Amino acid sequence: MSDTPFGFGLPPEEPDDGDEGKKKDQQSGGGQGPANPFGFGMSGAGGPGGPGADNPFAAMFGSMNPNDLGAAFQQLGQMLSYEGGPVNWDMAKQIARQTVSQGTPDGRKDASVGPVERNAVQEAVRLADLWLDDATALPSGAGTSVAWSRAEWVEATLPAWRELVDPVAERVGNAMGDVLPEEMQAMAGPLIGMMRSMGGAMFGTQIGQAVGVLAGEVVGSTDVGLPLGPAGKAALLPVNIESFGKDLGVPQEEVRLYLALREAAHQRLFAHVPWLRSHLFGAVEGYARGIKVDTAKLEDVVGQFDPQNPEQLQEALQQGMFQPEDTPEQKAALARLETALALVEGWVDAVVHTAAKPRLSSADALRETLRRRRASGGPAEQTFATLIGLELRPRRLRDASRLWASLTDAHGVDGRDALWAHPDMLPTATDLDDPDGFVHREQLDFSELDKMLGEAAGNPDLKKRDQGEDGDDGRGEPKGDGRE
């Protein structure tokens, strides 16, 4: 991940779209160079500790003459007048593409996917789906398979990032307006709006950098345990797969096929468990709602902001402004999210191992490599920890995988997969502590669960009833509200 999570310094290389990118960069203030991304012209000293340090707006503008202030607002123009929501997603997209164009630390640049790589990915996903037919009762969920460049991954996943990040960004934007004393807020409407727009620009920059770095690490559309790409589209990134397998001592074809198995397994789960996506995204949002912004730190950061020295802002924000509330509701939201992620990743791990073990000599080694990658956070942990104060990783992946394997042994593939018929049927965090107790629980009638799953798969009206006609989950509760 980037060492400057809220860093405003744009990458030095030009964006992929050449001269047009230069124009966009100049319009957004980038023409001033990384040292002064907002393009403020200062005529005197007004840094931390200087005149107006106790007043955030005096600290920002107190040392400007009127001409400089007018030029600054003209240069900020499009960036700070963004009205599309709490995050400037146009900026996020531009910076993500610029970050991708820089390449990864190993010197590997992004490249368009050629026909040979595209055919290799399509063949790998096709074969993976054939192997998975024996390992799960859920049918194929990938209507199409695609090979993406890193830039294409950015384009395809930004809508999902927007859905995940906007709720937290909204809280930060409101907090930035609240740092003014109450008696000043009534008179400072335009300035509060500008502060919130600055929050949008700040988040846009951060998200763009994070997504751009992430694009250099992921190997598919479901690496983070969430469906970030379009539904029904299995996607792999050939350039990243090659980097991932370079030092493993495993043939590239086997690495590609194993990763295709994981991607295809995720696609089956999200395609045929209709409530799962909203359940996971709702769990992230539920946790985010319980995060409070450290307004004292934010006020201190804003009050000492020196437009000529944005590194100070970067360093201060790098220390974090998000604090999970120590409440039963917040603890329950975190437990629900971590358990859901563990169950998804554990199921994929168990199913893929069943499919790959008899066919790939490297199955055990690749499984352990992927487990360690996810347990240590992989590409997702630092991204989400920076964006919303949340480490998005399946801490109990191995426990969940063992539980799913035990369910397979005790009740078969159909009985195991029938548990996905409804969130209330899934194991809980307590069940992960005692998998044998859950597997052999007498009141679980797996034949009935299997029947329910089969009916839901073949009866559209039953699907609607289970999901709820008005957007609930069939129990009169909003989608995403599973059992804690």
Side-chain angles (χ1 to χ4, degrees), residues 77 182 259 277 285 343 420 440:
E182 186 175 349
L259 296 176
R277 185 185 189 278
E285 185 177 352
L343 290 174
W420 291 106
H440 300 292

Side-chain angles (χ1 to χ4, degrees), residues 1-2 11 91-105 108 110 149-151 153-155 157-158 161 204-218 237 240 379 383 387:
M1 293 296 298
S2 170
M91 175 180 287
K93 179 179 176 179
Q94 178 186 355
I95 293 178
R97 288 183 63 88
Q98 289 178 330
T99 303
V100 164
S101 72
Q102 286 186 297
T104 48
R108 189 70 185 268
D110 192 21
S149 66
R150 293 165 180 167
W153 182 90
V154 168
E155 297 277 353
T157 62
L158 275 178
W161 291 116
T205 302
Q206 158 60 4
I207 294 166
Q209 289 179 335
V211 171
V213 172
L214 195 58
E217 301 174 350
V218 295
L237 282 72
N240 290 353
T383 300
L387 293 179

Side-chain angles (χ1 to χ4, degrees), residues 221-241:
S221 70
T222 54
D223 277 29
V224 303
L226 297 171
L228 297 178
K233 184 174 288 188
L236 295 176
L237 282 72
V239 64
N240 290 353
I241 291 176

Side-chain angles (χ1 to χ4, degrees), residues 396-415:
R396 307 194 65 181
L397 185 155
R398 293 176 188 269
D399 293 336
S401 182
R402 281 194 293 269
L403 186 146
W404 289 118
S406 296
L407 282 168
T408 307
D409 293 339
H411 303 285
V413 168
D414 291 345

Side-chain angles (χ1 to χ4, degrees), residues 157-169:
T157 62
L158 275 178
W161 291 116
R162 183 169 189 159
E163 186 176 349
L164 288 165
V165 174
D166 268 351
V168 180

Side-chain angles (χ1 to χ4, degrees), residues 343-361:
L343 290 174
V344 168
E345 292 296 284
W347 183 88
V348 169
D349 179 81
V351 167
V352 168
H353 184 68
T354 298
K357 177 68 173 176
R359 300 176 172 98
L360 295 178
S361 60

Side-chain angles (χ1 to χ4, degrees), residues 74-86:
Q74 190 173 15
Q75 291 171 354
L76 283 170
Q78 296 178 350
M79 183 173 66
L80 293 188
S81 63
Y82 178 76
E83 298 179 353

Side-chain angles (χ1 to χ4, degrees), residues 145-266:
S145 56
V146 294
W148 282 341
S149 66
R150 293 165 180 167
E152 288 172 324
W153 182 90
V154 168
E155 297 277 353
T157 62
L158 275 178
W161 291 116
R162 183 169 189 159
E163 186 176 349
L164 288 165
V165 174
D166 268 351
V168 180
E170 180 70 35
R171 295 175 63 85
V172 176
N174 291 336
M176 292 188 76
D178 293 341
V179 299
L180 284 175
E182 186 175 349
E183 60 273 13
M184 291 181 60
Q185 291 188 18
M187 300 181 293
L191 292 179
I192 293 176
M194 193 195 73
M195 290 292 290
R196 288 175 176 165
S197 294
M198 184 182 294
M202 186 173 66
F203 257 99
T205 302
Q206 158 60 4
I207 294 166
Q209 289 179 335
V211 171
V213 172
L214 195 58
E217 301 174 350
V218 295
V219 295
S221 70
T222 54
D223 277 29
V224 303
L226 297 171
L228 297 178
K233 184 174 288 188
L236 295 176
L237 282 72
V239 64
N240 290 353
I241 291 176
E242 185 176 342
S243 297
F244 171 78
K246 183 174 59 175
D247 299 322
L248 296 181
V250 176
Q252 189 72 17
E253 293 75 13
E254 290 197 20
V255 173
R256 184 192 303 114
L257 185 50
Y258 193 88
L259 296 176
L261 281 166
R262 289 183 53 83
E263 177 74 9
H266 276 104

